[in-house]
Coordinates of all heavy atoms in Angstrom, one line a residue:
K1429 N -86.6 45.7 4.8 CA -85.6 46.3 3.9 C -85.2 47.6 4.5 O -85.9 48.3 5.2 CB -86.3 46.6 2.5 CG -86.4 45.4 1.7 CD -86.9 45.8 0.3 CE -87.0 44.7 -0.6 NZ -87.4 45.0 -1.9
M1430 N -83.9 48.0 4.2 CA -83.4 49.3 4.7 C -83.3 50.2 3.5 O -82.9 49.9 2.4 CB -82.0 49.1 5.3 CG -82.0 48.2 6.5 SD -80.4 48.0 7.2 CE -80.0 49.5 7.9
F1431 N -83.7 51.4 3.7 CA -83.6 52.5 2.7 C -82.6 53.5 3.2 O -82.7 54.0 4.3 CB -85.0 53.1 2.5 CG -86.0 52.1 1.8 CD1 -86.9 51.5 2.6 CD2 -85.9 51.9 0.5 CE1 -87.8 50.6 2.1 CE2 -86.8 51.0 -0.1 CZ -87.8 50.3 0.7
F1432 N -81.7 53.9 2.3 CA -80.7 54.9 2.6 C -81.1 56.2 2.0 O -81.4 56.2 0.8 CB -79.3 54.4 2.2 CG -78.8 53.2 2.9 CD1 -78.9 51.9 2.3 CD2 -78.3 53.3 4.2 CE1 -78.5 50.8 3.0 CE2 -77.9 52.2 4.9 CZ -77.9 51.0 4.3
K1433 N -81.0 57.2 2.7 CA -81.3 58.5 2.2 C -80.1 58.9 1.3 O -78.9 58.7 1.7 CB -81.5 59.6 3.3 CG -82.8 59.5 4.0 CD -82.9 60.6 5.0 CE -84.2 60.5 5.8 NZ -84.3 61.6 6.7
S1434 N -80.3 59.5 0.2 CA -79.2 60.0 -0.6 C -78.7 61.3 0.0 O -79.5 62.2 0.2 CB -79.6 60.2 -2.1 OG -80.7 61.2 -2.1
S1435 N -77.4 61.4 0.2 CA -76.9 62.6 0.9 C -76.8 63.7 -0.2 O -76.5 63.5 -1.3 CB -75.5 62.3 1.4 OG -74.7 61.9 0.4
K1436 N -77.2 64.9 0.3 CA -77.1 66.1 -0.6 C -75.7 66.5 -0.7 O -74.9 66.4 0.2 CB -78.0 67.2 0.0 CG -79.4 66.9 -0.1 CD -80.2 68.1 0.4 CE -81.7 67.9 0.3 NZ -82.5 69.0 0.8
K1437 N -75.3 67.1 -1.8 CA -74.0 67.6 -2.1 C -73.9 68.9 -1.2 O -74.8 69.7 -1.2 CB -73.8 67.9 -3.5 CG -72.4 68.2 -3.9 CD -72.2 68.4 -5.4 CE -70.8 68.7 -5.7 NZ -70.6 69.0 -7.1
N1438 N -72.7 69.1 -0.7 CA -72.4 70.3 0.1 C -72.3 71.5 -0.8 O -71.4 71.5 -1.6 CB -71.2 70.1 1.0 CG -71.0 71.2 2.0 OD1 -71.8 72.1 2.1 ND2 -69.9 71.1 2.7
N1439 N -73.1 72.5 -0.6 CA -73.1 73.6 -1.5 C -72.4 74.8 -0.8 O -72.6 76.0 -1.2 CB -74.5 74.1 -1.8 CG -75.2 73.1 -2.7 OD1 -74.5 72.4 -3.5 ND2 -76.5 73.1 -2.7
S1440 N -71.4 74.5 0.1 CA -70.8 75.6 0.8 C -69.9 76.5 -0.1 O -69.8 77.7 0.1 CB -69.9 75.1 1.9 OG -68.9 74.3 1.4
L1441 N -69.4 75.9 -1.2 CA -68.5 76.7 -2.1 C -69.4 77.4 -3.1 O -69.0 78.4 -3.6 CB -67.5 75.8 -2.8 CG -66.5 75.1 -1.9 CD1 -65.6 74.2 -2.7 CD2 -65.6 76.2 -1.3
G1442 N -70.6 76.9 -3.4 CA -71.4 77.5 -4.4 C -72.2 78.7 -3.9 O -72.8 79.5 -4.7
K1443 N -72.3 78.8 -2.6 CA -73.2 79.9 -2.0 C -72.6 81.2 -2.2 O -73.3 82.2 -2.3 CB -73.3 79.6 -0.5 CG -74.2 78.5 -0.1 CD -74.4 78.3 1.3 CE -75.3 77.1 1.6 NZ -75.3 76.9 3.0
A1444 N -71.3 81.3 -2.3 CA -70.6 82.6 -2.5 C -70.3 82.8 -4.0 O -69.2 83.3 -4.3 CB -69.4 82.7 -1.7
S1445 N -71.2 82.5 -4.9 CA -70.9 82.7 -6.3 C -70.9 84.1 -6.6 O -71.6 85.0 -6.1 CB -72.0 82.0 -7.1 OG -73.3 82.5 -6.8
K1446 N -70.0 84.5 -7.6 CA -69.8 85.9 -7.9 C -70.8 86.4 -8.9 O -70.8 85.9 -10.1 CB -68.4 86.0 -8.5 CG -67.3 85.6 -7.6 CD -66.8 86.7 -6.8 CE -65.6 86.2 -5.9 NZ -64.9 87.2 -5.3
T1447 N -71.7 87.2 -8.5 CA -72.6 87.9 -9.4 C -71.9 89.2 -9.8 O -71.0 89.7 -9.2 CB -74.0 88.1 -8.8 OG1 -73.8 88.9 -7.6 CG2 -74.6 86.8 -8.4
S1448 N -72.5 89.8 -10.8 CA -71.9 91.1 -11.3 C -71.9 92.2 -10.3 O -71.0 92.9 -10.1 CB -72.6 91.6 -12.6 OG -73.9 91.8 -12.4
S1449 N -73.1 92.3 -9.5 CA -73.2 93.3 -8.5 C -72.2 93.0 -7.3 O -71.6 94.0 -6.8 CB -74.6 93.4 -8.0 OG -75.0 92.2 -7.4
R1450 N -72.1 91.8 -7.0 CA -71.2 91.4 -5.9 C -69.7 91.7 -6.3 O -68.9 92.2 -5.5 CB -71.3 89.9 -5.6 CG -70.5 89.6 -4.4 CD -70.6 88.2 -4.0 NE -69.5 87.9 -3.1 CZ -69.6 87.1 -2.1 NH1 -70.7 86.4 -1.8 NH2 -68.6 86.8 -1.3
K1451 N -69.3 91.4 -7.5 CA -68.0 91.7 -8.0 C -67.7 93.2 -7.9 O -66.6 93.6 -7.5 CB -67.8 91.2 -9.4 CG -67.5 89.8 -9.6 CD -67.2 89.5 -11.1 CE -67.0 88.0 -11.3 NZ -66.8 87.7 -12.7
L1452 N -68.7 94.0 -8.3 CA -68.5 95.4 -8.3 C -68.4 96.0 -6.9 O -67.5 96.8 -6.6 CB -69.8 96.1 -9.0 CG -69.7 97.6 -9.1 CD1 -68.6 98.1 -9.9 CD2 -71.0 98.2 -9.6
T1453 N -69.2 95.5 -6.0 CA -69.1 96.0 -4.6 C -67.8 95.6 -4.0 O -67.1 96.3 -3.3 CB -70.3 95.5 -3.7 OG1 -70.3 94.1 -3.9 CG2 -71.6 96.1 -4.2
Q1454 N -67.3 94.3 -4.3 CA -66.0 93.9 -3.7 C -64.9 94.7 -4.3 O -63.9 95.1 -3.5 CB -65.8 92.4 -4.0 CG -66.6 91.5 -3.1 CD -66.2 90.0 -3.3 OE1 -65.7 89.7 -4.4 NE2 -66.5 89.2 -2.3
Q1455 N -65.0 95.1 -5.5 CA -63.9 95.9 -6.2 C -63.9 97.3 -5.5 O -62.8 97.8 -5.3 CB -64.1 96.0 -7.7 CG -63.0 96.6 -8.4 CD -63.3 96.7 -9.9 OE1 -64.4 96.4 -10.3 NE2 -62.3 97.0 -10.7
I1456 N -65.0 97.9 -5.3 CA -65.1 99.2 -4.7 C -64.5 99.2 -3.3 O -63.7 100.0 -2.9 CB -66.6 99.7 -4.7 CG1 -67.0 100.0 -6.2 CG2 -66.7 101.0 -3.9 CD1 -68.4 100.3 -6.3
I1457 N -64.9 98.2 -2.5 CA -64.4 98.0 -1.1 C -62.9 97.8 -1.1 O -62.2 98.4 -0.3 CB -65.1 96.9 -0.4 CG1 -66.6 97.3 -0.2 CG2 -64.4 96.5 0.9 CD1 -67.5 96.1 0.3
Q1458 N -62.4 97.0 -2.1 CA -61.0 96.8 -2.2 C -60.2 98.0 -2.5 O -59.1 98.3 -2.0 CB -60.7 95.7 -3.2 CG -59.3 95.2 -3.2 CD -58.9 94.4 -2.0 OE1 -59.7 93.7 -1.4 NE2 -57.7 94.6 -1.5
D1459 N -60.8 98.9 -3.4 CA -60.1 100.1 -3.8 C -60.1 101.1 -2.6 O -59.1 101.8 -2.4 CB -60.9 100.8 -5.0 CG -60.7 100.0 -6.2 OD1 -59.7 99.2 -6.3 OD2 -61.5 100.2 -7.2
I1460 N -61.2 101.1 -1.8 CA -61.2 102.1 -0.7 C -60.4 101.6 0.5 O -59.6 102.4 1.0 CB -62.7 102.3 -0.2 CG1 -63.5 103.0 -1.4 CG2 -62.8 103.1 1.0 CD1 -65.0 103.0 -1.1
C1461 N -60.5 100.4 0.8 CA -59.8 99.9 2.0 C -58.4 99.4 1.8 O -57.7 99.1 2.8 CB -60.6 98.7 2.6 SG -62.3 99.2 3.1
S1462 N -58.0 99.2 0.6 CA -56.7 98.7 0.3 C -56.6 97.2 0.8 O -57.5 96.5 0.6 CB -55.6 99.5 0.8 OG -54.3 99.1 0.4
I1463 N -55.4 96.8 1.3 CA -55.3 95.4 1.8 C -55.1 95.4 3.3 O -54.7 96.3 3.9 CB -54.1 94.8 1.1 CG1 -52.8 95.5 1.3 CG2 -54.4 94.6 -0.4 CD1 -51.6 94.8 0.7
A1464 N -55.4 94.2 3.8 CA -55.4 94.0 5.3 C -53.9 93.8 5.7 O -53.1 93.4 4.9 CB -56.2 92.8 5.7
P1465 N -53.6 94.0 7.0 CA -52.2 93.8 7.5 C -51.7 92.4 7.2 O -50.6 92.2 6.9 CB -52.4 94.1 9.0 CG -53.5 95.0 9.1 CD -54.5 94.6 8.0
Y1466 N -52.6 91.3 7.4 CA -52.1 90.0 7.2 C -51.8 89.8 5.7 O -50.9 89.0 5.3 CB -53.1 88.9 7.7 CG -54.2 88.6 6.8 CD1 -54.1 87.5 5.9 CD2 -55.4 89.3 6.8 CE1 -55.2 87.2 5.0 CE2 -56.4 89.0 5.9 CZ -56.3 88.0 5.1 OH -57.4 87.7 4.2
E1467 N -52.5 90.5 4.8 CA -52.2 90.4 3.4 C -50.9 91.0 3.1 O -50.1 90.5 2.2 CB -53.3 91.0 2.6 CG -54.6 90.2 2.6 CD -55.8 90.9 1.9 OE1 -55.7 92.2 1.8 OE2 -56.7 90.2 1.5
K1468 N -50.5 92.1 3.8 CA -49.2 92.7 3.6 C -48.1 91.8 4.0 O -47.1 91.7 3.4 CB -49.2 94.0 4.4 CG -50.0 95.1 3.8 CD -49.9 96.4 4.7 CE -50.9 97.4 4.2 NZ -50.9 98.6 5.1
K1469 N -48.3 91.0 5.1 CA -47.3 90.1 5.6 C -47.2 89.0 4.5 O -46.0 88.5 4.2 CB -47.8 89.5 6.9 CG -47.7 90.4 8.1 CD -48.2 89.7 9.3 CE -48.3 90.7 10.5 NZ -48.9 90.1 11.6
I1470 N -48.3 88.5 3.9 CA -48.2 87.5 2.9 C -47.4 88.0 1.7 O -46.6 87.3 1.1 CB -49.6 87.0 2.5 CG1 -50.2 86.2 3.7 CG2 -49.6 86.1 1.3 CD1 -51.7 85.8 3.5
I1471 N -47.7 89.2 1.3 CA -47.0 89.8 0.2 C -45.5 89.9 0.4 O -44.6 89.6 -0.4 CB -47.5 91.2 -0.2 CG1 -48.9 91.1 -0.8 CG2 -46.6 92.0 -1.1 CD1 -49.6 92.4 -1.1
E1472 N -45.1 90.3 1.7 CA -43.7 90.3 2.0 C -43.0 88.9 1.9 O -41.9 88.8 1.4 CB -43.5 90.9 3.4 CG -43.8 92.4 3.5 CD -42.9 93.2 2.6 OE1 -41.6 92.9 2.6 OE2 -43.4 94.1 2.0
L1473 N -43.8 87.9 2.4 CA -43.2 86.5 2.4 C -43.1 86.1 0.9 O -42.1 85.4 0.6 CB -44.1 85.6 3.1 CG -44.1 85.7 4.7 CD1 -45.2 84.9 5.3 CD2 -42.8 85.3 5.2
L1474 N -44.0 86.4 0.1 CA -44.0 86.1 -1.3 C -42.8 86.8 -2.0 O -42.1 86.2 -2.9 CB -45.3 86.4 -2.1 CG -46.5 85.5 -1.7 CD1 -47.7 86.1 -2.3 CD2 -46.3 84.1 -2.1
K1475 N -42.5 88.0 -1.7 CA -41.4 88.7 -2.3 C -40.1 88.1 -1.9 O -39.1 88.0 -2.7 CB -41.4 90.2 -1.8 CG -42.4 91.1 -2.5 CD -42.3 92.5 -2.0 CE -43.4 93.4 -2.6 NZ -43.3 94.7 -2.0
L1476 N -40.0 87.5 -0.7 CA -38.8 86.9 -0.2 C -38.7 85.4 -0.7 O -37.6 84.8 -0.6 CB -38.8 86.8 1.3 CG -38.7 88.2 2.0 CD1 -38.8 88.0 3.5 CD2 -37.3 88.8 1.7
G1477 N -39.8 84.9 -1.3 CA -39.7 83.6 -1.9 C -40.2 82.5 -0.9 O -40.0 81.3 -1.2
N1478 N -40.8 82.9 0.2 CA -41.3 81.9 1.2 C -42.7 81.6 0.9 O -43.6 81.9 1.7 CB -41.1 82.5 2.6 CG -39.7 82.7 3.0 OD1 -38.8 82.0 2.5 ND2 -39.4 83.6 3.9
D1479 N -43.0 80.8 -0.2 CA -44.3 80.5 -0.5 C -45.0 79.6 0.5 O -46.2 79.8 0.8 CB -44.4 79.8 -1.9 CG -44.0 80.7 -3.0 OD1 -43.9 81.9 -2.8 OD2 -43.7 80.1 -4.1
K1480 N -44.3 78.7 1.1 CA -44.8 77.8 2.0 C -45.3 78.5 3.3 O -46.4 78.3 3.8 CB -43.8 76.7 2.4 CG -44.4 75.5 3.1 CD -43.4 74.4 3.3 CE -44.1 73.2 4.0 NZ -43.1 72.1 4.1
K1481 N -44.4 79.4 3.8 CA -44.8 80.2 5.0 C -46.0 81.1 4.7 O -46.8 81.3 5.5 CB -43.6 81.1 5.4 CG -42.6 80.3 6.3 CD -41.7 81.3 6.9 CE -40.7 80.5 7.9 NZ -39.8 81.4 8.6
A1482 N -46.1 81.6 3.4 CA -47.2 82.5 3.1 C -48.5 81.7 3.1 O -49.5 82.1 3.6 CB -47.0 83.1 1.7
L1483 N -48.4 80.4 2.6 CA -49.6 79.6 2.6 C -50.0 79.2 4.1 O -51.2 79.2 4.4 CB -49.4 78.3 1.9 CG -49.5 78.3 0.4 CD1 -49.1 77.0 -0.2 CD2 -50.9 78.7 0.0
K1484 N -49.0 79.0 4.9 CA -49.3 78.6 6.3 C -50.0 79.8 7.0 O -50.9 79.7 7.8 CB -48.0 78.2 7.1 CG -47.6 76.8 6.8 CD -46.3 76.6 7.5 CE -46.4 75.4 8.3 NZ -45.1 75.1 9.0
L1485 N -49.5 81.0 6.8 CA -50.0 82.2 7.4 C -51.5 82.4 6.9 O -52.4 82.7 7.7 CB -49.2 83.4 7.1 CG -49.7 84.8 7.6 CD1 -49.7 84.8 9.1 CD2 -48.9 85.9 7.1
G1486 N -51.7 82.2 5.6 CA -53.0 82.4 5.0 C -54.0 81.4 5.6 O -55.1 81.7 5.9
K1487 N -53.5 80.1 5.8 CA -54.4 79.1 6.4 C -54.7 79.5 7.8 O -55.9 79.3 8.2 CB -53.6 77.8 6.3 CG -54.5 76.6 6.8 CD -53.8 75.3 6.8 CE -54.7 74.3 7.4 NZ -54.1 73.3 8.2
K1488 N -53.8 80.0 8.5 CA -54.0 80.4 9.9 C -55.1 81.5 10.0 O -56.0 81.4 10.9 CB -52.7 80.8 10.6 CG -52.9 81.2 12.0 CD -51.5 81.6 12.6 CE -51.7 82.1 14.0 NZ -50.5 82.7 14.6
R1489 N -55.0 82.4 9.1 CA -55.9 83.6 9.1 C -57.3 83.3 8.5 O -58.3 83.7 9.0 CB -55.3 84.8 8.4 CG -54.1 85.3 9.0 CD -54.4 85.9 10.3 NE -53.1 86.4 10.9 CZ -53.1 87.2 12.0 NH1 -54.2 87.5 12.6 NH2 -51.9 87.6 12.4
L1490 N -57.3 82.4 7.4 CA -58.5 82.2 6.7 C -59.2 80.9 7.1 O -60.3 80.7 6.8 CB -58.2 82.2 5.2 CG -57.7 83.5 4.6 CD1 -57.2 83.3 3.2 CD2 -58.7 84.6 4.7
G1491 N -58.4 80.0 7.7 CA -59.0 78.8 8.2 C -59.1 77.6 7.3 O -59.6 76.5 7.7
N1492 N -58.6 77.7 6.1 CA -58.7 76.7 5.1 C -57.6 76.8 4.1 O -57.3 77.9 3.6 CB -60.1 76.8 4.4 CG -60.5 75.6 3.6 OD1 -59.6 74.8 3.2 ND2 -61.8 75.4 3.4
I1493 N -57.0 75.7 3.7 CA -55.9 75.7 2.7 C -56.3 76.2 1.3 O -55.6 76.9 0.7 CB -55.1 74.4 2.7 CG1 -53.8 74.5 2.1 CG2 -55.9 73.3 2.0 CD1 -52.7 75.3 2.8
S1494 N -57.5 75.8 0.9 CA -58.0 76.2 -0.4 C -58.2 77.7 -0.5 O -57.9 78.3 -1.5 CB -59.2 75.4 -0.8 OG -60.3 75.7 0.1
R1495 N -58.8 78.3 0.6 CA -58.9 79.7 0.7 C -57.6 80.4 0.7 O -57.4 81.5 0.0 CB -59.7 80.1 1.9 CG -61.1 79.7 1.9 CD -61.8 80.2 3.2 NE -63.0 79.5 3.4 CZ -63.5 79.2 4.6 NH1 -62.8 79.5 5.7 NH2 -64.7 78.6 4.7
S1496 N -56.6 79.8 1.3 CA -55.3 80.4 1.4 C -54.6 80.4 0.0 O -54.0 81.3 -0.4 CB -54.4 79.6 2.4 OG -53.1 80.0 2.4
K1497 N -54.8 79.3 -0.7 CA -54.2 79.2 -2.1 C -54.9 80.3 -3.0 O -54.2 80.9 -3.8 CB -54.5 77.8 -2.7 CG -53.6 76.8 -2.1 CD -53.9 75.4 -2.7 CE -53.0 74.3 -2.0 NZ -53.3 73.0 -2.5
K1498 N -56.2 80.5 -2.9 CA -56.9 81.5 -3.7 C -56.3 82.9 -3.3 O -56.1 83.7 -4.2 CB -58.4 81.4 -3.5 CG -59.0 80.3 -4.2 CD -60.5 80.3 -3.9 CE -61.2 79.0 -4.4 NZ -62.6 79.0 -4.0
K1499 N -56.2 83.1 -2.0 CA -55.7 84.4 -1.6 C -54.3 84.7 -2.1 O -53.9 85.8 -2.5 CB -55.7 84.5 -0.1 CG -55.3 85.8 0.5 CD -56.2 87.0 0.1 CE -57.5 87.0 0.8 NZ -58.3 88.2 0.6
K1500 N -53.4 83.6 -2.1 CA -52.0 83.7 -2.5 C -52.0 84.1 -4.0 O -51.3 85.0 -4.4 CB -51.3 82.4 -2.3 CG -49.8 82.5 -2.6 CD -49.2 81.2 -2.4 CE -48.7 80.8 -3.8 NZ -48.0 79.5 -3.9
E1501 N -52.9 83.4 -4.8 CA -52.9 83.7 -6.2 C -53.4 85.2 -6.5 O -52.9 85.9 -7.3 CB -53.9 82.8 -7.0 CG -53.3 81.4 -7.1 CD -52.0 81.3 -7.8 OE1 -51.9 82.0 -8.9 OE2 -51.1 80.7 -7.3
Y1502 N -54.4 85.6 -5.7 CA -54.9 87.0 -5.8 C -53.8 88.0 -5.5 O -53.7 89.0 -6.2 CB -56.1 87.2 -4.8 CG -56.5 88.6 -4.7 CD1 -57.2 89.2 -5.7 CD2 -56.2 89.3 -3.5 CE1 -57.6 90.6 -5.5 CE2 -56.5 90.6 -3.4 CZ -57.2 91.3 -4.4 OH -57.6 92.6 -4.2
L1503 N -53.1 87.7 -4.4 CA -52.0 88.7 -4.0 C -50.8 88.7 -5.0 O -50.2 89.7 -5.2 CB -51.5 88.3 -2.6 CG -52.6 88.6 -1.5 CD1 -52.1 88.1 -0.2 CD2 -52.9 90.1 -1.4
N1504 N -50.6 87.5 -5.7 CA -49.6 87.5 -6.7 C -50.0 88.4 -7.9 O -49.2 89.2 -8.4 CB -49.3 86.1 -7.2 CG -48.3 85.3 -6.4 OD1 -47.4 85.9 -5.9 ND2 -48.5 84.0 -6.3
I1505 N -51.2 88.4 -8.3 CA -51.7 89.2 -9.3 C -51.7 90.7 -8.9 O -51.3 91.6 -9.6 CB -53.2 88.8 -9.7 CG1 -53.1 87.4 -10.4 CG2 -53.8 89.8 -10.6 CD1 -54.5 86.8 -10.5
Y1506 N -52.1 90.9 -7.6 CA -52.1 92.3 -7.0 C -50.7 92.9 -7.1 O -50.5 94.0 -7.4 CB -52.6 92.2 -5.6 CG -52.7 93.5 -4.9 CD1 -53.8 94.4 -5.0 CD2 -51.6 93.9 -4.0 CE1 -53.8 95.6 -4.4 CE2 -51.7 95.1 -3.4 CZ -52.8 96.0 -3.5 OH -52.9 97.1 -2.9
M1507 N -49.6 92.0 -6.7 CA -48.3 92.5 -6.7 C -47.8 92.9 -8.2 O -47.1 93.8 -8.4 CB -47.3 91.5 -6.2 CG -47.3 91.4 -4.7 SD -46.1 90.3 -3.9 CE -45.6 89.2 -5.1
R1508 N -48.2 92.0 -9.1 CA -47.8 92.3 -10.5 C -48.4 93.6 -11.1 O -47.7 94.3 -11.8 CB -48.2 91.1 -11.4 CG -47.2 90.0 -11.4 CD -47.5 88.9 -12.4 NE -47.9 87.7 -11.7 CZ -49.0 87.0 -12.0 NH1 -49.8 87.3 -12.9 NH2 -49.2 85.9 -11.3
N1509 N -49.6 93.9 -10.6 CA -50.3 95.1 -11.1 C -49.7 96.4 -10.5 O -49.8 97.4 -11.1 CB -51.8 95.0 -10.9 CG -52.4 93.9 -11.8 OD1 -51.8 93.6 -12.8 ND2 -53.6 93.5 -11.5
K1510 N -49.2 96.3 -9.3 CA -48.7 97.5 -8.6 C -47.3 97.8 -8.9 O -46.5 97.1 -9.4 CB -48.8 97.3 -7.1 CG -50.2 97.3 -6.6 CD -50.6 98.7 -6.2 CE -52.1 98.8 -5.9 NZ -52.4 100.0 -5.2

């Protein structure tokens, strides 16, 4: 008989879960450092209405389309608050 090992679920997304202390430290760092140059470029593209180019630039810098979508949403909120 052949026995197959049950594959474990990939926990790569769960490893970076947001705890209260982590949220606080990220917020402090964001306040001090402001935004990165590539984030400024994405904001300019979003202002012009080039959502697709903004996603492509985010994917190039962040390495993943889902990270790029999250960053785009974050920067949209950031623009609305400023």
Side-chain angles (χ1 to χ4, degrees):
K1429 287 186 176 182
M1430 295 178 75
F1431 293 99
F1432 295 100
K1433 288 184 180 179
S1434 61
S1435 60
K1436 290 184 179 179
K1437 189 176 180 183
N1438 189 0
N1439 291 334
S1440 63
L1441 295 176
K1443 286 181 183 176
S1445 60
K1446 302 266 184 172
T1447 59
S1448 59
S1449 61
R1450 184 179 166 146
K1451 279 184 184 177
L1452 180 64
T1453 53
Q1454 281 186 341
Q1455 187 179 11
I1456 291 170
I1457 290 169
Q1458 189 68 38
D1459 290 342
I1460 293 170
C1461 299
S1462 188
I1463 57 174
Y1466 82 93
E1467 291 175 335
K1468 289 179 185 175
K1469 289 177 189 173
I1470 291 174
I1471 287 174
E1472 289 299 318
L1473 289 170
L1474 290 173
K1475 283 181 183 176
L1476 295 173
N1478 294 335
D1479 292 345
K1480 192 171 182 181
K1481 277 192 177 183
L1483 278 176
K1484 282 177 124 179
L1485 177 65
K1487 184 181 177 218
K1488 183 179 175 188
R1489 296 293 179 171
L1490 299 169
N1492 195 335
I1493 194 71
S1494 61
R1495 290 183 198 144
S1496 178
K1497 287 178 183 177
K1498 286 180 188 175
K1499 182 63 77 172
K1500 187 185 114 179
E1501 289 302 315
Y1502 168 75
L1503 292 174
N1504 273 328
I1505 294 167
Y1506 181 83
M1507 282 189 336
R1508 275 188 247 131
N1509 292 339
K1510 288 268 174 165

